[in-house]
Amino acid sequence: MIRAAARRRDAREAGWPRGATTPPWARWPAPVLLVLTCAVQLATPRTLDLSFLLAAVPPLAALAYGPAATALLGGTVLLLISLPDYDLGHPGESDTATVAFVAVLSVLFAWVRSRRDAQLVTVRTVAEAAQFAVLPPLPDRVGPVRCAGLYRAAQRGTLVGGDLFDVRRGPHGVRALVGDVQGHGLAAVGTVAALLGAFREAVLDQDDLAGVAACLDRRLVVDAEEAGQSRRLVIDPEEEAPGDPAELFATAVLLDFGETARELRFLCFGHPPPLLIRGGTVTELRVAAPGTPLGLGIAGVTPPEQVVVDLEPGDWVLTVTDGVTEARDASGAFYPLAQRLPTVFEAERDDPVAFTDAIWSDLVRFSGGVRDDVALLVFVVGE
């Protein structure tokens, strides 16, 4: 699920606490340097002067502490080098003044950094809330099917990119959408939000998948026309390149499980077809006449052939985006999803969430790092 993916992402970011902008280990250098310098200086002959290292304590503190703690550490340094009983390096008046000046500057830097960190935490919180509104977490079960999803955006620090999925229960059964819009990263989020909004409305209003596809196609066509009009308002017509119309399109697969999930109907629009896992055997559900991507204005006129598959209790249906199927290893070979799924399924056949995690881990091991948006959506037919 999206929320689970966000937790996995936070766990990978070097142990940084959620909402914090400074890692925990950054709090240790300042006090450790202070204690070690004092201990070594007091334990060594007076000819060895290490007290100059104490001047680095306030700047180090400013990197991880607030202004109050930085002032405390800076004051401690000034006190230690001023006490004659400790005899730390015999600082002169100019040395003490220099350390005091550095300590004051460090307090100022700590104050500025603390304000910036608070602003960054607020921005991050708002951004994540907005992205969760676009792609909310999936429930564990929708009607007669269990489901789980995994989403990884290519752009670091974001939760939503150019891929999308959603599962909704409407008057005509459980329907799902998995797609990949033109572009990736934050630039594609607007198109993703528009498509998902159109899908959620179409699930309630349309009797069949062809009608749902027509709604999605129309949404992209209208958005492309509006984008073209906006471009003409801001670009000099004499400088606009010929043959460069605004264009929005998306590959997608639409699925319909009905009310009992004993039959799967789906349409493909230039998208990888679903995979059926039955008893550990993986079957690619081939499409005789796949459709063109949505957004070209023809999905409602010439929809692709609808494929109907009989389902049995315990069947798994997996849909992915091309971030999975087009991932390559060092030699340039594509990720063989269908060939590697049986092993992954055997290890995680009881937990759909763990199953999607295992696919992601295997994909990363194979490719050494995925550079495209990735979406996985799996359904388990109940008894």
Side-chain angles (χ1 to χ4, degrees):
M1 291 180 289
I2 297 288
R3 186 168 294 167
R7 287 196 296 267
R8 290 191 295 272
R9 181 205 61 191
D10 290 337
R12 281 191 293 271
E13 290 183 353
W16 292 34
R18 183 173 179 82
T21 57
T22 304
W25 55 263
R27 306 177 70 86
W28 289 102
V32 168
L33 178 63
L34 176 63
V35 172
L36 286 180
T37 301
C38 292
V40 173
Q41 182 67 73
L42 294 175
T44 54
R46 297 179 60 183
T47 56
L48 180 62
D49 184 7
L50 298 178
S51 60
F52 68 92
L53 294 176
L54 293 177
V57 171
L60 286 175
L63 295 176
Y65 294 94
T70 302
L72 178 61
L73 285 170
T76 301
V77 169
L78 288 173
L79 179 64
L80 289 174
I81 65 176
S82 301
L83 291 177
D85 294 340
Y86 283 93
D87 196 21
L88 291 175
H90 314 286
E93 293 183 0
S94 61
D95 297 329
T96 303
T98 300
V99 174
F101 180 70
V102 171
V104 171
L105 283 181
S106 298
V107 172
L108 177 61
F109 292 156
W111 178 77
V112 172
R113 183 195 56 78
S114 298
R115 287 179 58 86
R116 184 207 61 186
D117 287 353
Q119 292 172 348
L120 289 177
V121 169
T122 301
V123 169
R124 177 176 177 177
T125 302
V126 172
E128 289 193 354
Q131 293 178 88
F132 277 128
V134 174
L135 279 178
L138 293 176
D140 295 333
R141 175 179 290 273
V142 180
V145 295
R146 298 164 61 198
C147 56
L150 180 143
Y151 196 108
R152 288 289 296 158
Q155 187 167 339
R156 182 175 176 81
T158 62
L159 300 179
V160 180
D163 289 356
L164 66 148
F165 59 64
D166 200 5
V167 184
R168 296 282 161 167
R169 186 175 188 178
H172 308 287
V174 176
R175 290 173 175 173
L177 166 68
V178 179
D180 183 1
V181 307
Q182 174 193 18
H184 59 79
L186 291 177
V189 173
T191 307
V192 167
L195 271 180
L196 288 174
F199 171 74
R200 291 159 187 168
E201 289 293 327
V203 166
L204 300 176
D205 298 334
Q206 299 300 320
D207 296 334
D208 54 21
L209 290 181
V212 176
C215 291
L216 301 183
D217 184 75
R218 184 173 63 250
R219 178 74 271 166
L220 290 178
V221 170
V222 171
D223 287 352
E225 291 175 352
E226 292 177 350
Q229 293 172 0
S230 300
R231 179 180 300 180
R232 286 191 291 272
L233 289 174
V234 299
I235 298 180
D236 186 346
E238 296 181 357
E239 297 181 0
E240 186 173 6
D244 185 28
E247 187 177 70
L248 295 175
F249 63 87
T251 65
V253 58
L254 287 166
L255 304 98
D256 186 343
F257 289 92
E259 288 291 346
T260 62
R262 289 300 177 261
E263 187 178 74
L264 169 65
R265 294 177 293 274
F266 69 90
L267 296 174
C268 273
F269 298 89
H271 198 83
L275 298 174
L276 174 65
I277 308 175
R278 177 175 294 169
T281 301
V282 179
T283 304
E284 185 177 278
L285 302 178
R286 289 290 182 179
V287 180
T292 57
L294 298 169
L296 301 182
I298 60 175
V301 178
T302 56
E305 177 184 347
Q306 179 173 271
V307 180
V308 181
V309 180
D310 292 329
L311 297 178
E312 299 177 1
D315 283 351
W316 291 50
V317 177
L318 172 67
T319 55
V320 301
T321 57
D322 59 9
V324 177
T325 57
E326 295 182 0
R328 298 172 182 258
D329 63 8
S331 67
F334 289 107
Y335 179 66
L337 175 62
Q339 286 75 24
R340 299 171 78 100
L341 268 185
T343 301
V344 176
F345 179 76
E346 188 61 32
E348 304 291 351
R349 63 188 309 156
D350 298 324
D351 186 351
V353 175
F355 178 65
T356 59
D357 288 342
I359 295 175
W360 169 252
S361 300
D362 187 61
L363 178 65
V364 172
R365 284 193 299 269
F366 176 86
S367 63
V370 182
R371 298 173 183 83
D372 195 4
D373 299 321
V374 168
L376 307 169
L377 189 58
V378 63
F379 302 92
V380 182
V381 180
E383 299 292 339

Coordinates of all heavy atoms in Angstrom, one line a residue, residues 20 23 27 46 57 62 261 270 277 304 326:
A20 N 11.7 14.8 11.0 CA 13.0 15.5 11.4 C 13.8 15.7 10.1 O 13.7 14.9 9.2 CB 13.7 14.6 12.4
P23 N 19.7 13.9 11.2 CA 19.8 12.5 11.7 C 20.3 12.5 13.1 O 21.0 13.4 13.6 CB 20.8 11.9 10.7 CG 21.6 13.1 10.2 CD 20.7 14.3 10.2
R27 N 24.0 14.6 16.4 CA 23.9 15.2 17.7 C 25.2 14.8 18.5 O 25.4 15.4 19.6 CB 22.7 14.8 18.5 CG 21.4 15.2 17.7 CD 20.1 14.7 18.4 NE 19.9 15.5 19.6 CZ 19.2 16.7 19.6 NH1 18.7 17.1 18.5 NH2 19.1 17.3 20.7
R46 N 52.1 19.4 28.7 CA 51.6 20.8 28.4 C 52.2 21.3 27.1 O 51.6 22.2 26.5 CB 52.1 21.7 29.5 CG 51.5 21.3 30.9 CD 52.0 22.3 32.0 NE 51.6 23.6 31.7 CZ 51.9 24.7 32.4 NH1 52.7 24.5 33.5 NH2 51.6 25.9 32.1
V57 N 33.6 23.1 18.5 CA 32.4 22.5 19.1 C 31.1 23.4 18.9 O 30.1 22.8 18.5 CB 32.7 22.4 20.7 CG1 31.4 22.0 21.4 CG2 33.7 21.3 20.9
A62 N 25.7 23.7 16.2 CA 24.8 24.4 15.4 C 24.1 23.6 14.3 O 23.0 23.9 13.8 CB 25.4 25.7 14.8
A261 N -16.6 -12.2 -7.9 CA -15.2 -12.4 -8.3 C -15.0 -13.8 -8.9 O -13.9 -14.4 -8.7 CB -14.2 -12.2 -7.1
G270 N -2.7 -0.4 -24.4 CA -1.2 -0.2 -24.5 C -0.4 -0.5 -23.3 O 0.7 -0.1 -23.1
I277 N -2.0 -16.1 -11.3 CA -1.2 -17.0 -10.6 C -2.2 -18.0 -10.0 O -3.0 -17.7 -9.1 CB -0.4 -16.4 -9.5 CG1 0.5 -15.2 -10.1 CG2 0.5 -17.4 -8.8 CD1 1.2 -14.4 -9.0
P304 N -10.8 -1.6 -27.2 CA -10.2 -2.9 -27.4 C -11.1 -4.1 -27.0 O -12.1 -3.9 -26.4 CB -9.0 -2.9 -26.5 CG -9.4 -2.0 -25.4 CD -10.2 -0.9 -26.0
E326 N 10.1 -3.1 -17.8 CA 11.2 -2.6 -18.6 C 12.4 -2.3 -17.8 O 13.4 -1.7 -18.3 CB 10.7 -1.3 -19.3 CG 9.6 -1.5 -20.3 CD 9.1 -0.2 -21.0 OE1 9.7 0.8 -20.7 OE2 8.2 -0.3 -21.8

